[in-house]
Amino acid sequence: MIHPKKTIVFIIIIAASFTVSGQKSAVYEYGDNDYLKGLELFEKEKYGAARQVFDRLLKKTRGSRSEIRSEASFYRAMSAVELRNDDSEYLVHSFISEYPESPHVDEAAFRLADFFYDKNSWARSISWYNRVDRHKLDRTGLSEYYFKKGYSYYKRNDFEGARVNFYEILEVESPYNSPATYYYSHIHYTDGNYETALMGFREIYSDPLFSGIAPYYISQILYMQKKYDEVIEFAPPLMDSISERRLGEMSKIIGESYFMLANYREAVPYLETFQSNTKAYTIHDRYQLAFAYYMNEEYENARKLFEQISYRKSEIAQSALYHLADCYLHLGDKNKARIAFSQAAKMEFDPRIQQDAQFNYAKVTYELSYNPFNEAIRAFEDYIRFYPAADNTDEAYNYLVMAYLGTRNYSMAMVSLEKIRQKDAKIEKAYQKVSFYRGLELYKNLRFNEAVDAFEKSRQYTAHDPVIAARTYFWLGEAAYRSGDSKTARLYYNEFMKDGSSRQQQEYPLCHYSMGYIFFEEQAYDESLNWFGRYIQFEKGKQSSTLSDAYNRMADCYFMKTSYWQAIEYYDLSIASGKADADYALFQKGFTLGLLDRIPRKVDVLIQLTKEHPESNFVDDALFEIGRSFVVLNDLAEAQVFYELLVNEHPNSSYTNKALNQLGLIYYNGSEFDRALVYYEQVATNYPGTPEADNALMSIKNIYVRKDNVEGYLAFVTGLGQDISMREQDSLSYTAAEIVYTRGDCAETVRAFRDYLDAFPNGRFLLNAHYYKADCQLKLQQNQEALVSLDYIIGQPRNMFTVPALEAASKINFRQENYHRAADNYLAMIEVAEQKSNINNARVGLMRCYFELGEYTNTIEAARQVLLLDKLQEEEIREANFNIAKSFQELNEDDFAYDFYRKVAHEVNSIEGAESKYRLIEILFDRNEIEEAEEEVYGFIEMNTPHQYWMGMAFLALSDIYIAKDDEFQAINSLQSLIDYYTIPDDGIIANAKQRKAALTQQAESDIAPESGPAQ
């Protein structure tokens, strides 16, 4: 472009317009040799010497008005002007003032004006040119006068003054004609009077002085007049001789002219040359070349440039995004096409582009199955709402229905579907499916009440998909069962079974299994056998923990029906499968053999249990039963061995006090009373308030009486804190309080047992009193008060209330975030509990406590123990692996963490699964495994998750991945997806995305030159 302020410097050698000549009459009249000498020096251009001579002459003639003095004053002033003396203006002014009638007045003013002209003092030059009487100037002098005066106005930006002066000599033949024409044309060019300017530039086109620039202006003007055909005819031949400085701009003019004539193939080389030869490459410039590439089907080249201008909110950016999307489609990258269509659809500059972009965005999103935030559904909904009369609205509606049916983001799809007031059959079918799968999602996350709500919504439209209708009944039953409502569960299971399509569903065998449990818990053993038996038939030939469990329940049913040999048959099946609870089956088999009076076989089976499952919770049970069996076999020595083994290796077992009593009894019957007393006294001392302690006291009393040592017995009882005379009162007070407890009046029960404990601090029924009081306090939600009694029970030796007290105390402490105390409770439970369900719960609870406490090494070990348990729920396995992974990551062991996150991340419907998927991405990115991290993000998107926070975090990570790959376009638009579609406003995701996008956009725009004004 030619800037209006640029000028061309001309070196013009022009003869003087005025003739400086001596006045012979004055010289001869006065015969002044000084004057003649000064004039001679002046004519020889020895202006300094001449001035000195004229100065002396003027001093000599001070006061005189002679003509020679006037001449000397003039030549002195001209000498000063030629010498560029500072007093030039003063001397000229003095001369004109003193000799206004001198014929040299106009010449003096002209030369002083030239003096200021040469010094670029434009205002003064104009002032002195204005004093010149132009009518006295000859043709050459007049041209010089108008040009220099016009140029002085031009330099002062007084273009009107300049134009008027230049105009005066446009038709005058002189050295100043071409320069004047140039500046005159340039002024009209600047003012937008292109036709006048064009005529002027064409006049000087062949002038050697202007042949290098006039063609450029001609090309520029023709372009701005939109005479593109003339540009193409005139400008290209100039390219061979154009200067390097003008190459870029001239290429732009030609390239844009071809572009405007839709001759894109010819436009590209010139636009490329411009791109390579400019430092100010604007968005408009980039768009033009990109569009030319696009029209030439050079999609990769077009893509690069369209991407660079896609970040702004402008009409040209909207068009760039729209065409960029099409480039991506041609290049086979639908995902990036989706992003570009999305951004174009959000801009309102061109409604036609906006509409088409919205439809294509929705369509491509649907085709990609890309719906982390249900974008396809929302896009088609928006399209139908905004363009109800469009030609393709019916097509959009059909896509919308298919999107509903295909979505896996069920939570957001539910929100969308519930906004539709009038649902036709297609929408109802989609609603049935979406609400069903949303219910499964909620069920998996243990939100059973919400799952029921979702399933009930699905039931509103059962006619559309009978398979989903049937499955809905089953999962309603499962949710009810897990919530403890077996009665309702049975109703739903029956509805499922009655459905004709249920037999083909994967839930059908499992429904029999669940029904078997319901009847088992109701002690309806025949019904339970029927359901478990049918389940076993369905699963015949398979190996699973559920099948092993069914064998055990079948055996338990036969056991309860006293069909012992059939019970043993199913216990053997469970033992043989080895999948779950084989230790339980071995114990039950041994115990059942005892009932069948197969005592030696019983002993063999129970010993097998202790050897094959030494860590089993049934080992202490087995040791006690083995001891009892040897007593029955009258092998008291062997009985003692196993009882002693139980006491020594399982001191916290519920059988320990019983074993001690049995040892006492063996020695008592053998008349070894002192040895018997040792065992009985351990029971009475260590297990107060238990039936075993009362039995031990009776035996102790008998032994002391036999030994005629009543004082010894009384001393022992007193040492226990008991008063023989108070025993009856103790018993009566406790019994009265217990009666209140059996009536279910918890408030009165708490009062009654408080009174008992206050009255009998060393009473015989302390354990019972504390437990029943605590039980009622828990029901009254007096948890802190209940904890006092629970802690008392826990502090006593193993007793019948130890496990339930630990269970209740651990729950209270965990809920109150007393994780250290809760962990102690769980550790004790693991030590003393015998039921697997209690031990499993304790191990899970211990793991959670360690995790909350930040004890990550302990968390890992506790979680590993959880994973060794039988019959774990899916959510417990997931939680254990997740806690191991998180703990390893906290310990900076990312490689180990990665392995365990991988185990959890196979599904993302759970919160642990969703976070694990994100953590895999995070670890891969930290390892600089960028491609693998990107694959994980897209895998996450494909899987879909209801946990939007972790999807949002994955998108933030995706922007980092794109930055690492130098793909700013996708980085920015990944962040824009979050800003547009993320639905949680206050969890930090949107704020983070906005902050990152602003920084990236600012960086991207800094690489693009700002748009200039109209071409100059």
Side-chain angles (χ1 to χ4, degrees):
M1 303 297 179
I2 297 177
H3 195 279
K5 299 295 185 286
K6 289 182 180 178
T7 62
I8 301 175
V9 177
F10 302 100
I11 303 174
I12 305 172
I13 303 174
I14 305 174
S17 301
F18 293 90
T19 303
V20 180
S21 60
Q23 299 296 319
K24 299 283 186 172
S25 59
V27 174
Y28 289 116
E29 181 181 349
Y30 296 104
D32 193 314
N33 291 326
D34 286 339
Y35 173 77
L36 293 173
K37 183 179 180 181
L39 186 60
E40 181 183 3
L41 290 170
F42 183 88
E43 290 174 347
K44 291 181 178 180
E45 299 181 4
K46 297 181 178 180
Y47 302 116
R51 176 172 176 169
Q52 291 177 2
V53 172
F54 290 127
D55 279 339
R56 287 197 303 269
L57 178 59
L58 289 171
K59 284 182 181 180
K60 280 195 311 182
T61 59
R62 185 177 289 127
S64 169
R65 297 291 297 173
S66 65
E67 186 176 349
I68 198 169
R69 181 176 175 82
S70 169
E71 291 294 308
S73 179
F74 168 70
Y75 282 110
R76 180 180 67 169
M78 291 302 97
S79 297
V81 169
E82 295 295 343
L83 291 170
R84 302 299 189 253
N85 291 153
D86 292 338
D87 58 353
S88 297
E89 186 174 17
Y90 169 76
L91 294 175
V92 171
H93 187 271
S94 297
F95 163 71
I96 292 173
S97 298
E98 191 172 350
Y99 305 104
E101 301 303 325
S102 170
H104 299 303
V105 166
D106 288 314
E107 182 182 0
F110 201 130
R111 292 306 165 220
L112 184 60
D114 285 348
F115 167 75
F116 285 119
Y117 180 92
D118 292 341
K119 291 182 67 174
N120 298 334
S121 295
W122 311 115
R124 285 188 173 184
S125 69
I126 292 170
S127 174
W128 284 101
Y129 283 131
N130 283 336
R131 294 192 184 196
V132 176
D133 184 353
R134 65 182 183 278
H135 299 295
K136 296 180 180 179
L137 299 176
D138 60 17
R139 184 183 182 90
T140 301
L142 192 61
S143 292
E144 180 183 5
Y145 167 81
Y146 277 121
F147 177 78
K148 288 186 174 180
K149 184 179 175 185
Y151 188 73
S152 296
Y153 276 120
Y154 182 88
K155 294 301 287 185
R156 282 183 56 78
N157 295 326
D158 184 348
F159 300 120
E160 180 58 24
R163 185 189 62 77
V164 169
N165 281 276
F166 290 138
Y167 177 78
E168 293 293 334
I169 56 174
L170 291 179
E171 304 297 330
V172 177
E173 192 70 33
S174 78
Y176 292 101
N177 174 265
S178 292
T181 301
Y182 169 79
Y183 284 110
Y184 179 81
S185 301
H186 192 274
I187 290 168
H188 280 288
Y189 170 82
T190 304
D191 290 343
N193 301 321
Y194 296 125
E195 195 60 39
T196 301
L198 183 61
M199 291 171 61
F201 285 126
R202 278 180 165 160
E203 286 181 15
I204 60 173
Y205 172 70
S206 300
D207 190 305
L209 192 59
F210 297 99
S211 60
I213 191 167
Y216 173 74
Y217 277 102
I218 293 169
S219 302
Q220 186 77 271
I221 292 169
L222 290 172
Y223 174 77
M224 287 189 286
Q225 289 180 324
K226 300 183 179 179
K227 298 177 181 178
Y228 304 120
D229 288 313
E230 292 187 43
V231 173
I232 290 170
E233 181 181 354
F234 175 80
L238 303 174
M239 291 298 291
D240 293 336
S241 59
I242 200 77
S243 69
E244 186 175 347
R245 186 168 67 90
R246 301 289 183 190
L247 179 61
E249 291 299 324
M250 202 64 168
S251 298
K252 177 178 174 66
I253 291 169
I254 300 170
E256 287 191 3
S257 296
Y258 276 121
F259 182 93
M260 298 307 294
L261 292 171
N263 190 342
Y264 303 110
R265 199 155 301 282
E266 292 294 334
V268 164
Y270 290 101
L271 294 177
E272 287 178 334
T273 300
F274 169 63
Q275 180 188 32
S276 303
N277 290 272
T278 183
K279 294 181 179 178
Y281 203 51
T282 67
I283 283 182
H284 179 271
D285 299 329
R286 293 167 198 260
Y287 177 84
Q288 226 169 27
L289 180 54
F291 190 83
Y293 281 139
Y294 172 81
M295 295 303 293
N296 290 340
E297 300 182 2
E298 297 180 50
Y299 299 115
E300 179 59 26
N301 288 333
R303 175 197 68 78
K304 295 174 183 177
L305 288 169
F306 278 137
E307 279 186 1
Q308 294 173 14
I309 57 179
S310 63
Y311 309 122
R312 299 188 179 187
K313 298 294 184 184
S314 65
E315 185 172 4
I316 199 169
Q318 183 187 27
S319 181
L321 284 162
Y322 179 75
H323 291 96
L324 175 60
D326 197 45
C327 288
Y328 282 132
L329 289 177
H330 282 93
L331 293 169
D333 194 338
K334 280 191 174 183
N335 183 51
K336 287 187 177 180
R338 175 192 63 80
I339 294 171
F341 278 133
S342 170
Q343 298 310 309
K346 292 182 181 70
M347 299 182 187
E348 300 177 353
F349 301 103
D350 187 327
R352 182 189 59 80
I353 287 180
Q354 184 181 25
Q355 177 180 345
D356 199 50
Q358 176 72 18
F359 180 81
N360 280 291
Y361 164 66
K363 183 178 177 181
V364 172
T365 302
Y366 170 76
E367 290 171 350
L368 285 171
S369 300
Y370 180 97
N371 288 285
F373 307 110
N374 259 19
E375 290 95 328
I377 288 174
R378 293 165 68 178
F380 281 124
E381 286 176 341
D382 288 345
Y383 187 82
I384 293 168
R385 183 169 66 254
F386 294 141
Y387 309 108
D391 293 339
N392 54 0
T393 297
D394 288 342
E395 183 182 2
Y397 181 79
N398 288 331
Y399 273 118
L400 175 61
V401 172
M402 290 188 289
Y404 280 133
L405 292 171
T407 185
R408 282 180 288 179
N409 193 331
Y410 306 113
S411 176
M412 296 183 74
M414 286 279 288
V415 173
S416 296
L417 283 164
E418 286 171 354
K419 291 178 182 176
I420 302 175
R421 296 182 180 178
Q422 299 297 323
K423 299 179 176 67
D424 62 14
K426 291 181 179 179
I427 295 297
E428 287 181 352
K429 181 177 181 180
Y431 191 84
Q432 179 194 15
K433 177 184 176 182
V434 168
S435 54
F436 170 73
Y437 282 105
R438 176 58 177 159
L440 289 183
E441 239 176 27
L442 292 165
Y443 177 89
K444 182 167 285 191
N445 283 281
L446 310 183
R447 295 158 63 180
F448 302 122
N449 292 334
E450 294 172 76
V452 168
D453 291 341
F455 290 136
E456 290 293 351
K457 289 177 180 178
S458 181
R459 285 184 61 208
Q460 296 175 28
Y461 305 106
T462 55
H464 298 288
D465 189 329
V467 171
I468 288 180
R471 295 181 68 198
T472 300
Y473 283 118
F474 172 79
W475 288 103
L476 278 166
E478 287 291 282
Y481 184 80
R482 293 290 295 273
S483 299
D485 187 353
S486 297
K487 183 177 179 181
T488 300
R490 188 200 304 182
L491 292 174
Y492 284 126
Y493 289 144
N494 282 329
E495 288 296 321
F496 172 70
M497 302 291 285
K498 286 190 295 185
D499 191 282
S501 64
S502 63
R503 285 181 173 273
Q504 285 74 47
Q505 308 312 313
Q506 60 186 4
E507 293 91 349
Y508 190 70
L510 194 58
C511 187
H512 290 74
Y513 176 80
S514 297
M515 287 288 281
Y517 255 105
I518 288 175
F519 285 110
F520 182 82
E521 290 166 358
E522 292 176 357
Q523 300 180 13
Y525 298 117
D526 287 328
E527 283 291 328
S528 182
L529 282 168
N530 176 46
W531 289 103
F532 279 124
R534 291 166 68 183
Y535 170 76
I536 290 169
Q537 287 301 311
F538 288 129
E539 300 295 291
K540 197 169 185 179
K542 298 180 181 178
Q543 292 289 322
S544 69
S545 58
T546 308
L547 183 59
S548 293
D549 186 66
Y551 288 142
N552 278 334
R553 296 296 80 77
M554 287 279 287
D556 290 344
C557 288
Y558 282 122
F559 180 88
M560 298 305 295
K561 287 166 55 67
T562 68
S563 300
Y564 296 129
W565 287 115
Q566 287 172 292
I568 289 172
E569 177 185 347
Y570 280 95
Y571 286 133
D572 280 338
L573 287 172
S574 177
I575 294 165
S577 74
K579 288 292 182 180
D581 295 340
D583 55 343
Y584 170 80
L586 280 167
F587 177 77
Q588 286 294 110
K589 177 183 178 181
F591 191 83
T592 305
L593 286 167
L595 296 176
L596 291 168
D597 201 26
R598 301 296 195 273
I599 305 302
R601 286 186 60 192
K602 170 186 176 180
V603 170
D604 291 341
V605 170
L606 294 178
I607 289 175
Q608 178 186 353
L609 165 62
T610 63
K611 290 180 178 179
E612 292 181 1
H613 303 278
E615 301 299 321
S616 169
N617 295 307
F618 292 100
V619 168
D620 56 336
D621 306 65
L623 292 173
F624 184 74
E625 287 297 325
I626 293 170
R628 289 182 60 199
S629 298
F630 279 120
V631 170
V632 172
L633 294 171
N634 202 30
D635 188 344
L636 299 182
E638 283 297 311
Q640 287 174 349
V641 170
F642 284 95
Y643 283 139
E644 291 284 1
L645 195 61
L646 171 59
V647 170
N648 293 329
E649 294 189 1
H650 302 274
N652 293 315
S653 169
S654 60
Y655 290 99
T656 301
N657 54 4
K658 296 179 178 65
L660 288 168
N661 266 345
Q662 289 297 316
L663 286 166
L665 182 61
I666 289 171
Y667 287 116
Y668 185 90
N669 289 336
S671 300
E672 295 184 52
F673 300 118
D674 288 337
R675 296 190 67 180
L677 195 60
V678 171
Y679 291 107
Y680 284 135
E681 286 183 349
Q682 285 185 59
V683 176
T685 302
N686 296 330
Y687 302 94
T690 63
E692 287 77 14
D694 285 342
N695 291 335
L697 280 171
M698 290 295 298
S699 298
I700 290 169
K701 177 181 177 181
N702 291 335
I703 291 172
Y704 274 111
V705 170
R706 267 182 183 279
K707 295 173 66 176
D708 192 22
N709 187 8
V710 175
E711 288 80 4
Y713 170 69
L714 294 175
F716 177 76
V717 172
T718 302
L720 295 175
Q722 297 185 18
D723 185 341
I724 300 299
S725 62
M726 296 292 290
R727 285 173 64 85
E728 186 175 354
Q729 184 178 345
D730 180 343
S731 180
L732 289 173
S733 296
Y734 169 76
T735 302
E738 189 178 48
I739 291 171
V740 177
Y741 175 75
T742 59
R743 291 202 301 261
D745 186 343
C746 275
E748 277 300 304
T749 295
V750 171
R751 180 201 58 75
F753 279 119
R754 275 180 181 159
D755 291 345
Y756 171 78
L757 292 170
D758 290 341
F760 301 98
N762 297 312
R764 297 168 56 205
F765 306 101
L766 294 182
L767 287 172
N768 300 58
H770 273 293
Y771 182 76
Y772 295 144
K773 179 176 80 73
D775 183 44
C776 274
Q777 286 172 328
L778 289 173
K779 292 175 182 176
L780 295 171
Q781 296 188 4
Q782 298 172 358
N783 292 339
Q784 205 58 40
E785 295 87 343
L787 202 54
V788 175
S789 286
L790 295 172
D791 285 342
Y792 172 81
I793 296 167
I794 292 167
Q796 302 305 307
R798 174 72 164 81
N799 58 77
M800 62 187 294
F801 299 115
T802 298
V803 172
L806 284 168
E807 188 175 14
S810 63
K811 289 179 180 178
I812 294 170
N813 283 321
F814 192 88
R815 282 197 298 267
Q816 294 180 351
E817 299 182 9
N818 296 323
Y819 299 120
H820 283 293
R821 294 187 64 185
D824 290 341
N825 295 149
Y826 288 129
L827 284 167
M829 178 104 72
I830 292 166
E831 184 67 27
V832 303
E834 295 171 351
Q835 294 296 321
K836 277 198 171 183
S837 59
N838 291 329
I839 295 170
N840 290 3
N841 291 337
R843 290 207 176 277
V844 172
L846 181 63
M847 170 188 69
R848 290 170 178 165
C849 287
Y850 284 145
F851 185 77
E852 293 295 339
L853 290 167
E855 297 182 14
Y856 298 116
T857 302
N858 286 336
T859 300
I860 292 168
E861 180 56 33
R864 289 188 190 278
Q865 292 299 317
V866 169
L867 292 172
L868 294 174
L869 300 174
D870 288 332
K871 294 170 62 177
L872 280 175
Q873 296 290 338
E874 177 186 345
E875 59 268 19
E876 292 170 335
I877 297 171
R878 180 172 64 239
E879 182 183 0
N881 281 315
F882 178 76
N883 285 346
I884 292 173
K886 285 279 283 187
S887 297
F888 273 128
Q889 193 171 27
E890 291 292 338
L891 295 170
N892 296 318
E893 296 283 358
D894 283 359
D895 289 343
F896 289 120
Y898 182 89
D899 293 340
F900 282 91
Y901 280 134
R902 178 62 70 193
K903 293 180 180 181
V904 183
H906 63 87
E907 61 80 31
V908 294
N909 287 325
S910 66
I911 185 70
E912 297 91 351
E915 182 177 351
S916 293
K917 196 68 173 175
Y918 167 73
R919 298 298 178 190
L920 291 177
I921 297 163
E922 182 181 51
I923 292 171
L924 288 169
F925 185 82
D926 289 343
R927 290 176 180 173
N928 202 33
E929 296 178 25
I930 304 301
E931 295 296 335
E932 292 79 359
E934 184 178 8
E935 287 179 14
E936 286 294 336
V937 174
Y938 282 115
F940 196 1
I941 292 168
E942 178 69 22
M943 294 168 76
N944 241 314
T945 178
H947 304 288
Q948 293 298 286
Y949 177 80
W950 294 111
M951 181 59 73
M953 289 296 290
F955 265 71
L956 292 176
L958 185 60
S959 72
D960 290 335
I961 290 168
Y962 286 138
I963 291 169
K965 296 176 71 174
D966 294 324
D967 191 343
E968 287 185 349
F969 172 78
Q970 290 224 81
I972 290 173
N973 285 289
S974 295
L975 296 169
Q976 188 64 48
S977 292
L978 278 178
I979 296 166
D980 291 337
Y981 294 108
Y982 192 76
T983 58
I984 305 170
D986 55 358
D987 64 359
I989 295 291
I990 293 176
N992 194 330
K994 286 181 177 178
Q995 183 179 7
R996 292 185 184 208
K997 181 183 177 243
L1000 286 174
T1001 302
Q1002 182 179 7
Q1003 177 60 41
E1005 291 190 349
S1006 69
D1007 296 333
I1008 300 176
E1011 289 291 338
S1012 61
Q1016 299 294 320

